[in-house]
Amino acid sequence: MSRKLVTERDIRLPQFRDANIEDLEFDGTGEVVRKDRFETSMRKIYSKLCGINGLSSRETWTCDQVVDAIDQLLRFKQLVIALNTLPVDAEFYHFTNDVYVKDIDQEHLQIAKDEPKAGHLINHSVCEDDCIWERSSGFVEYIDHLISIDDMRKEVAEFGRGTSD
């Protein structure tokens, strides 16, 4: 039989073994958690994002930089998904509406740009996931939010080379 005395530390859960009681709190579910869990989580996320948005393991960082890096990673994901489901003849993509666009009526586009207050509609074709092109129309603001398929490919390539800051 050991003569070593049992201490409070010996009976604590492993995740709380070295914690001071003042460093713990109850979370929304009533579980005991470390007060620094958000900072610890942010540090774990930061370490996985080094190389994105200028994050470096040798430099200091801010929470905003980490959030921006996550935004860039999510955009990269959306670009890759959009490019992998790309209809062969698509010319543009609209992120918000998740549709591909082609055949923008350049004549009406120019009229709409020349007379922005007149509210001219611009004819074009759209394609959703079903790969069936349909005629549609939209205002110049809609057309201005399109990104060309070539620009999407360039953005993916730049991200892959680490030049997406």
Side-chain angles (χ1 to χ4, degrees), residues 10-143:
D10 295 323
I11 60 171
R12 283 190 180 187
L13 293 171
Q15 64 267 33
F16 305 125
R17 189 147 295 144
D18 294 322
N20 294 321
I21 204 77
E22 57 272 359
D23 294 335
L24 303 173
E25 65 184 358
F26 290 101
D27 71 3
T29 66
E31 293 289 319
V32 175
V33 294
R34 299 177 81 91
K35 287 181 180 177
D36 68 348
R37 68 192 180 279
F38 295 108
E39 181 179 346
T40 302
S41 297
M42 185 62 83
R43 289 185 185 283
K44 285 179 185 177
I45 293 167
Y46 157 75
S47 69
K48 295 176 185 304
L49 296 172
C50 286
I52 301 172
N53 194 36
L55 294 178
S56 167
S57 60
R58 295 186 174 115
E59 306 269 331
T60 59
W61 53 275
T62 66
C63 291
D64 285 340
Q65 284 177 298
V66 172
V67 171
D68 289 345
I70 290 171
D71 286 342
Q72 286 183 15
L73 197 56
L74 292 173
R75 177 167 173 94
F76 177 75
K77 177 186 174 188
Q78 190 175 13
L79 284 166
V80 169
I81 290 170
L83 288 170
N84 282 334
T85 57
L86 179 69
V88 177
D89 49 352
E91 298 170 340
F92 299 94
Y93 182 70
H94 195 288
F95 277 96
T96 305
N97 295 359
D98 190 25
V99 295
Y100 301 93
V101 176
K102 70 174 185 176
D103 300 332
I104 297 172
D105 183 330
Q106 296 300 314
E107 181 181 339
H108 285 111
L109 176 60
Q110 191 58 52
I111 292 169
K113 286 184 176 188
D114 291 343
E115 302 172 30
K117 293 183 181 181
H120 291 284
L121 288 171
I122 302 143
N123 294 328
H124 57 280
S125 295
V126 296
C127 177
E128 295 184 23
D129 297 340
D130 56 10
C131 292
I132 298 172
W133 288 99
E134 298 176 8
R135 291 302 293 163
S136 186
S137 61
F139 295 107
V140 71
E141 293 83 8
Y142 177 87
I143 302 298

